[in-house]
Amino acid sequence: MRLIVEQSAYSGVIKIAEKVAKDAELVTGRKTKYLAAENITEDMLRVPDELTVVAATIGKSAVLEKEEIRRRIPLDQIEGKRECYCFAFPEKKDSENPHLLVIAGSDKRGTIYGLFHLSEQMGVSPFVDWCGIKPCHRDKIILAWDMECVSKEPSVEYRGFFINDEWPAFGNWCMHHFGGFGADMYEHIFELLLRLKGNYLWPAMWSARFEDDGPGLKNAILADEYGIIMGMSHHEPCLRQGEEYKYLRGKGSVYGDAWNFRTNRDGIIRFWEDGLKRSGQFENVITVGMRGEADTAILGENAAVADNIALLREVLRVQNQLIRENVNKDLEKVPRMLALYKEVEEFFYGTEDTAGLLKEPELEDIILMLCDDNYGNLRTLPTEEMRKHKGGYGMYYHLDYHGWPVSYEWINSSYLPKIWEQMSMAYDFGVRRLWMVNVGDIATQELPLSFLMDMAYDFERFGSRAVNCVQEYVRQWVRRSFGSFSEEIRQKIAEILNGYTKVIHRRRPEALGADTYHPVNEEESERILSEADDIIKKAEGVRTKLKCESADNQAAFAALIYYPAVATMNLVKMQVFTGLNHYYAGIGAAIANDYGKEAAACFSCDRKLTEWYHQLDGQRWYGMGASQHIGFTHWNEDECQNPVIMQVLLLDKPSVIVAVNGTSQHAEGSMWLDNRMILENFRNPECMEAYVTVYGRSKTESHFSVKEKTDWIKTDVTEGSVDGILHKKQTIKITIDEGSFLQDKENVSGTLVIETPAGQCEIEIPVNRKKYLSAKNVFEDTAGYISIEAEHFYDAKPGAWIKNPDGESGFGILQGYGKTLSAVKYFPSTAYFSLDENAPYLEYRFMLREGGTYEIEFYLQPSNPVTRDNEILYGVQMNEAETVIYNEVDRDYRIGDREEAWSKGVLEQIRKQCAEVVCQKGENALRIYPLTPGFVLEKFVIYPKGYRIRESYLGPAETFHT
């Protein structure tokens, strides 16, 4: 293959063409002929039996001006458009395969995206440089006629990521490989961004100075050469970073010695002005506005809202004037952005008493960048009236966060179904000008970063009309990244990615504790351990197969898949084992010591995994796993705690504990204590077996026996012994005789008595074998409560939305979403409803053996209200009763530091809310009406008022239904 560009091309295009030529060499193993020609002649284009690729940009290319070329290339379809390219074959279609490909770009980035599209067509991953992924070998590169295409304009104009919270991980990586944050390092970052079809970057800023570290302006010059649009972070205005001010400030400095616009106005203005003079020559989105030092409130937490607004208004006026004087007199030609981050959002909207900046003339053509709540839940979104804003809207979204209530910076813990649900809503609400992703250290965030960049580039493909595109996206991402692996291995990798991100998203690693999952109720810890072990087993299995079958990309698999999956699941296991250790130590069971050893082994494994990760592939990812991630007790790592392991000292006398599995009921058998328990599993007509476990507590052998039982109760063990050393527990399997006596019976109860060294334990076993004949998805009360996953509705009325005449409205089941099975959400996500005949609803049916007052506990995605009205409304109607409207949040609900209601929701990844209803005996119909945007239902539990559901993190598992 020959790849030709013109010497008149943009220098960035020439450099990218060289990278694509090297991509082709990786594919074939043979050197690609690469030429930057002063003049591309007809002879160069017509070389028999040799594949030729020409890359050129409209307005920078003589070859695209040639009449015979223009006639055969659809330049009119991309000319004047933003970041577009076309693939065209100027030859006549008289051969099996074409030999001349022309990649034409509408502008610099369009040509670069076209070149990298060619790389992807050759099977080259966007992470070929970043992760060293090698493409699948081909003997030669072949073009096909169906590769002709014309790309669309990207859905979002500015699409990029923010390298943030970069110490200790990214910072150590930079120092180890490049000696700092200079152009040698950013060469790789810029390439990654462009291969992902991004165009916008906020550089590292905790200790770095982008405009100085190149050295000098080399970083900025390189960015401009590649067509990277630069900005500084949400709180760093006028193209200057906070670290610059820290470096330059002082008593004798022209910039003064205080980051304070009131007391040091001249110094701050000079600082901004010099930044614009220095860097305004490049392509930028200029951050405007002002926050306090180190990303804090501008006037402090106690300042009046009116004072903050007045100060920001004056800051904006001054900054706009500086930009006119130093960048461009026509402000409309200078992209600018104000981030409505944290308290700035309040200053924008104002309060009842103080008008905000919402209609401020200085903001007329400025991009208003809205933000999530730092935990992946959007804050406010533009109303229909606000969408008319000339400057458009942006979104600042977090995959990494350093702040209250708990930071998460170690390994990717974001979940694609949640990202899709939130960011598709952002786009639907008109947030289409700018998307910025806080990606932390980049490493292990490659999957969600790819997804967000692809959503922003082609929302029509991955947006609201593509409900549940995530599963297929992951499969395609794996195929694109690991094309050389077998289909079987790629499928396992997709399962690993979906699995570990779902598990770790339930509770971010740093916020995970020994008390997160209940040690025994609902068998929650056992189920979580099983999930984690299954993911680790799959990862180990793939790793073993790769050692035998594929020499290439083992390190890339290890870094992108194995390390994040195994390290996070190992952390989950460590905390669950610690919780089990604490629980069983609390009842004196010797098994606690085994769990303590397991937790300690996981702790040791955590350290070894990180050390191994840092040595992979010649230390390619050195330092990237260094972030503290265990046992946070504050918002940051200060006073964090490694697992505290308890030790049970064994009794000298014989002693056992009898426990009903799946509950916290346990007894020693003493006549002086309550030794009665209840095993309720067989209330479910489909339950075939249940378990009781006997735990040892002493040095000596302790005997137990089944002393008596109802005739139809069967046990696989009638007697045995346990101790605290070798045989620490004995599980007894319980079944029931499914004979004619129990057939179709309900409210039958039996008894199992177990004799212990201290006395005896009596276990009541109620049984229900009666099934009501009913339609699909009718739930029956077989456990004293009913738990229903949202997707198992009996009926749904899509609802008529007058602004969506094409009929694509209704409820969508979000597969895999949330903490358990899935979720249900109404689309389009911008819809509002009143309680009338047009209101959509979900209907659920369930059978109760007793009527009366019940409570329904709803498990809801912890969405934030899309407006300042603080409303996420939904209606609840039981049978024919009047519909009651509930608000998910209180009227004084707030997001931010020390806001406990918000904090609880984002840490637990769920919001719970109770509604009181009156139910009847027999069949009941519950209707739930989503009335405002943001309502996402995951599950709900119905129980008699005053009934206490067993404590667990995920809530009761779904109960019996047809």
Side-chain angles (χ1 to χ4, degrees):
M1 185 181 96
R2 298 185 310 147
L3 180 54
I4 305 174
V5 295
E6 295 159 288
Q7 290 179 7
S8 61
Y10 292 105
S11 61
V13 169
I14 293 173
K15 285 187 174 183
I16 295 300
E18 290 184 64
K19 293 179 185 292
V20 173
K22 290 178 181 176
D23 289 349
E25 290 176 25
L26 286 174
V27 172
T28 64
R30 295 193 302 273
K31 189 169 181 63
T32 300
K33 298 174 184 177
Y34 169 74
L35 176 64
E38 184 176 352
N39 179 37
I40 299 178
T41 65
E42 196 67 27
D43 291 341
M44 292 179 182
L45 299 177
R46 311 291 181 192
V47 178
D49 300 323
E50 187 162 20
L51 176 61
T52 301
V53 178
V54 174
T57 308
I58 294 174
K60 290 283 287 184
S61 168
V63 74
L64 294 183
E65 298 299 322
K66 293 183 179 183
E67 184 61 31
E68 65 272 21
I69 295 291
R70 292 187 68 87
R71 279 201 314 267
R72 297 178 178 275
I73 297 178
L75 295 181
D76 59 315
Q77 296 185 39
I78 64 171
E79 200 158 10
K81 292 186 177 180
R82 170 175 47 85
E83 301 178 354
C84 293
Y85 62 88
C86 67
F87 272 34
F89 300 114
E91 307 161 271
K92 292 180 181 179
K93 294 188 178 182
D94 55 3
S95 61
E96 183 179 354
N97 298 106
H99 290 87
L100 173 62
L101 168 64
V102 175
I103 302 173
S106 63
D107 52 26
K108 183 197 297 185
R109 283 187 293 276
T111 308
I112 289 172
Y113 294 156
L115 281 162
F116 280 143
H117 180 68
L118 176 62
S119 286
E120 290 189 28
Q121 293 292 300
M122 294 188 294
V124 177
S125 165
F127 301 104
V128 61
D129 175 69
W130 177 250
C131 293
I133 295 179
K134 296 181 178 65
C136 189
H137 175 79
R138 300 181 187 182
D139 290 335
K140 63 179 179 177
I141 293 167
I142 300 174
L143 298 179
W145 293 108
D146 61 5
M147 288 172 63
E148 282 194 320
C149 65
V150 177
S151 77
K152 59 184 284 296
E153 280 193 311
S155 304
V156 176
E157 185 172 355
Y158 302 108
R159 313 166 305 281
F161 57 80
F162 177 21
I163 302 168
N164 193 23
D165 311 326
E166 63 266 23
W167 287 98
F170 187 86
N172 274 311
W173 175 81
C174 284
M175 301 306 293
H176 181 77
H177 288 290
F178 307 102
F181 295 79
D184 289 346
M185 181 273 287
Y186 275 109
E187 174 79 31
H188 300 278
I189 303 300
F190 296 155
E191 179 177 338
L192 174 62
L193 179 60
L194 291 169
R195 284 185 184 270
L196 294 173
K197 292 187 171 63
N199 60 8
Y200 180 40
L201 181 74
W202 289 355
M205 42 70 69
W206 266 24
S207 64
R209 305 191 305 276
F210 182 78
E211 307 286 355
D212 291 338
D213 290 341
L217 281 177
K218 283 186 69 175
N219 286 341
I221 292 168
L222 184 64
D224 197 62
E225 188 177 19
Y226 278 132
I228 304 294
I229 302 162
M230 292 303 302
M232 299 305 164
S233 73
H234 58 93
H235 64 97
E236 296 178 310
C238 294
L239 307 177
R240 301 212 79 165
Q241 292 182 294
E243 280 298 303
E244 284 191 79
Y245 191 74
K246 286 170 64 176
Y247 181 71
L248 296 170
R249 68 185 297 174
K251 292 183 179 179
S253 170
V254 295
Y255 304 129
D257 196 22
W259 184 255
N260 189 311
F261 193 70
R262 285 180 168 176
T263 64
N264 185 29
R265 180 187 176 97
D266 291 344
I268 297 299
I269 290 175
R270 174 72 178 273
F271 181 71
W272 290 338
E273 183 177 28
D274 286 352
L276 294 168
K277 286 179 178 178
R278 175 190 64 189
S279 304
Q281 60 184 301
F282 306 119
E283 193 174 4
N284 304 287
V285 174
I286 300 174
T287 301
V288 296
M290 188 177 186
R291 293 194 80 216
E293 277 193 283
D295 200 12
T296 57
I298 186 172
L299 289 179
E301 295 181 0
N302 299 320
V305 171
D307 292 340
N308 277 288
I309 292 172
L311 179 62
L312 268 179
R313 184 174 284 116
E314 175 62 10
V315 164
L316 290 167
R317 186 194 66 77
V318 168
Q319 289 173 342
N320 278 338
Q321 185 58 35
L322 289 172
I323 292 168
R324 282 192 196 93
E325 293 171 357
N326 297 283
V327 181
N328 195 315
K329 292 179 181 178
D330 186 353
L331 278 180
E332 290 189 17
K333 295 182 178 178
V334 183
R336 287 155 294 140
M337 177 275 294
L338 174 69
L340 308 183
Y341 185 66
K342 290 192 174 180
E343 78 286 343
V344 182
E345 182 186 74
E346 183 177 29
F347 306 154
F348 175 73
Y349 289 106
T351 64
E352 292 182 2
D353 304 320
T354 306
L357 298 168
L358 177 58
K359 297 182 180 179
E360 170 59 42
E362 296 289 346
L363 290 176
E364 181 182 5
D365 51 6
I366 287 176
I367 301 168
L368 300 174
M369 190 172 77
L370 303 163
C371 305
D372 70 353
D373 60 2
N374 300 310
Y375 264 76
N377 308 288
L378 307 185
R379 292 169 69 118
T380 58
L381 291 167
T383 63
E384 195 167 347
E385 179 64 27
M386 287 170 62
R387 286 170 222 165
K388 300 174 184 177
H389 174 66
K390 187 176 177 181
Y393 289 87
M395 179 56 65
Y396 177 31
Y397 194 82
H398 287 74
L399 301 177
D400 163 283
Y401 178 56
H402 182 78
W404 200 89
V406 178
S407 303
Y408 58 98
E409 303 169 49
W410 176 45
I411 284 177
N412 169 40
S413 56
S414 297
Y415 189 42
L416 261 55
K418 167 74 168 281
I419 294 171
W420 177 89
E421 183 264 325
Q422 289 289 295
M423 291 305 286
S424 62
M425 184 163 68
Y427 191 89
D428 290 344
F429 269 86
V431 182
R432 304 179 179 185
R433 189 87 193 277
L434 183 157
W435 284 14
M436 173 53 65
V437 183
N438 187 328
V439 77
D441 305 307
I442 305 177
T444 78
Q445 303 286 1
E446 289 88 353
L447 173 62
L449 175 61
S450 297
F451 184 61
L452 278 158
M453 291 295 99
D454 283 335
M455 275 189 83
Y457 183 78
D458 192 355
F459 190 81
E460 289 72 18
R461 182 180 177 190
F462 300 109
S464 304
R465 294 177 183 269
V467 177
N468 296 319
C469 66
V470 166
Q471 300 290 335
E472 180 58 26
Y473 180 88
V474 173
R475 285 191 287 270
Q476 293 293 339
W477 187 87
V478 173
R479 187 175 294 116
R480 185 171 60 167
S481 299
F482 299 107
S484 61
F485 294 175
S486 69
E487 181 59 35
E488 178 189 0
I489 287 178
R490 292 200 301 260
Q491 179 57 36
K492 288 292 184 185
I493 290 173
E495 293 171 8
I496 293 164
L497 286 169
N498 288 322
Y500 100 78
T501 52
K502 183 176 179 72
V503 172
I504 203 60
H505 187 67
R506 290 172 180 153
R507 188 87 175 187
R508 308 269 189 185
E510 294 84 347
L512 192 66
D515 59 350
T516 297
Y517 293 105
H518 199 281
V520 292
N521 285 349
E522 298 288 327
E523 297 181 338
E524 189 169 68
S525 285
E526 185 177 328
R527 288 189 288 126
I528 297 301
L529 287 173
S530 178
E531 284 182 320
D533 278 334
D534 181 60
I535 293 163
I536 292 173
K537 183 179 179 181
K538 285 179 180 177
E540 295 286 5
V542 171
R543 187 180 172 209
T544 299
K545 277 200 167 188
L546 289 178
K547 287 179 180 178
C548 300
E549 298 177 11
S550 178
D552 288 342
N553 296 326
Q554 290 188 33
F557 163 77
L560 280 171
I561 314 297
Y562 181 90
Y563 172 69
V566 174
T568 52
M569 293 305 94
N570 177 72
L571 182 78
V572 169
K573 289 178 63 176
M574 182 186 73
Q575 295 292 11
V576 170
F577 280 134
T578 304
L580 288 165
N581 166 259
H582 292 179
Y583 175 81
Y584 284 103
I587 63 174
I591 196 75
N593 298 338
D594 289 355
Y595 288 127
K597 291 175 183 176
E598 294 278 11
C602 289
F603 179 77
S604 175
C605 180
D606 178 88
R607 295 296 185 264
K608 291 176 181 176
L609 278 168
T610 300
E611 292 168 5
W612 169 79
Y613 173 55
H614 287 168
Q615 298 304 316
L616 279 171
D617 198 16
Q619 302 184 339
R620 177 183 284 271
W621 295 277
Y622 181 87
M624 288 295 198
S627 294
Q628 180 59 248
H629 51 274
I630 296 175
F632 280 36
T633 59
H634 302 288
W635 69 267
N636 62 0
E637 64 186 71
D638 293 351
E639 298 182 356
C640 64
Q641 293 183 354
N642 290 331
V644 176
I645 305 301
M646 297 182 181
Q647 178 76 22
V648 173
L649 302 179
L650 302 180
L651 298 173
D652 292 322
K653 66 174 185 176
S655 177
V656 303
I657 287 286
V658 178
V660 176
N661 288 25
T663 78
S664 53
Q665 299 175 89
H666 59 272
E668 188 183 22
S670 168
M671 62 179 292
W672 304 109
L673 301 174
D674 186 2
N675 59 12
R676 292 169 298 175
M677 294 173 277
I678 182 168
L679 189 154
E680 298 184 282
N681 303 55
F682 295 108
R683 290 186 188 274
N684 181 346
E686 294 186 332
C687 178
M688 295 292 105
E689 58 190 47
Y691 298 89
V692 167
T693 300
V694 182
Y695 294 97
R697 306 177 71 223
S698 60
K699 299 175 183 176
T700 59
E701 194 173 51
S702 303
H703 296 279
F704 69 89
S705 63
V706 176
K707 185 177 182 183
E708 58 183 83
K709 59 183 176 62
T710 306
D711 290 345
W712 42 263
I713 296 174
K714 308 297 180 184
T715 63
D716 68 337
V717 173
T718 57
E719 62 179 334
S721 62
V722 293
D723 57 49
I725 302 170
L726 296 176
H727 189 200
K728 297 185 180 73
K729 71 174 185 177
Q730 174 68 60
T731 298
I732 303 173
K733 178 180 176 180
I734 300 170
T735 57
I736 58 174
D737 187 344
E738 297 286 341
S740 59
F741 173 74
L742 289 176
Q743 188 174 355
D744 208 34
K745 294 284 181 64
E746 61 180 330
N747 298 326
V748 177
S749 188
T751 304
L752 173 68
V753 177
I754 297 176
E755 190 170 48
T756 72
Q760 62 185 32
C761 299
E762 182 179 311
I763 302 171
E764 180 187 354
I765 303 178
V767 176
N768 170 39
R769 284 297 172 258
K770 184 178 181 65
K771 296 181 182 180
Y772 291 94
L773 296 176
S774 53
K776 183 180 179 181
N777 282 351
V778 175
F779 286 73
E780 296 181 21
D781 177 11
T782 60
Y785 61 87
I786 295 173
S787 179
I788 302 178
E789 292 286 351
E791 74 168 61
H792 291 149
F793 49 83
Y794 178 84
D795 192 16
K797 176 185 174 184
W801 194 48
I802 59 173
K803 293 191 177 181
N804 197 41
D806 61 3
E808 292 194 21
S809 60
F811 289 99
I813 296 173
L814 309 183
Q815 296 170 359
Y817 188 98
K819 294 174 71 171
T820 50
L821 179 65
S822 59
V824 178
K825 180 179 180 177
Y826 188 84
F827 293 92
S829 59
T830 54
Y832 286 81
F833 291 97
S834 300
L835 278 174
D836 55 27
E837 66 275 7
N838 290 323
Y841 62 78
L842 296 164
E843 183 173 312
Y844 297 86
R845 296 286 181 94
F846 55 92
M847 306 288 294
L848 293 174
R849 288 174 168 74
E850 300 290 338
T853 302
Y854 283 73
E855 289 182 291
I856 305 176
E857 187 170 37
F858 294 101
Y859 287 62
L860 307 160
Q861 138 69 15
S863 306
N864 298 309
V866 299
T867 70
R868 298 281 286 179
D869 294 336
N870 267 358
E871 288 184 344
I872 306 178
L873 303 180
Y874 62 102
V876 175
Q877 182 185 29
M878 181 61 71
N879 299 320
E880 300 302 319
E882 183 179 350
T883 303
V884 179
I885 296 177
Y886 290 87
N887 190 355
E888 273 193 43
V889 298
D890 294 334
R891 289 294 178 184
D892 60 353
Y893 173 82
R894 292 176 65 87
I895 301 165
D897 294 357
R898 293 176 291 282
E899 297 294 340
E900 296 297 336
W902 166 77
S903 167
K904 182 177 176 63
V906 299
L907 289 177
E908 296 184 356
Q909 299 288 8
I910 207 75
R911 177 181 291 131
K912 299 178 187 178
Q913 187 172 46
C914 284
E916 190 173 296
V917 295
V918 175
C919 299
Q920 61 195 19
K921 182 178 180 179
E923 188 168 5
N924 291 265
L926 168 68
R927 287 183 175 178
I928 302 170
Y929 299 82
L931 301 176
T932 60
F935 180 80
V936 183
L937 178 65
E938 295 190 18
K939 64 187 272 187
F940 58 93
V941 184
I942 307 164
Y943 49 86
K945 185 178 180 180
Y947 183 88
R948 187 174 179 182
I949 296 290
R950 283 194 293 266
E951 177 187 353
S952 63
Y953 185 66
L954 301 178
E958 190 168 48
T959 51
F960 174 71
H961 60 286
T962 53

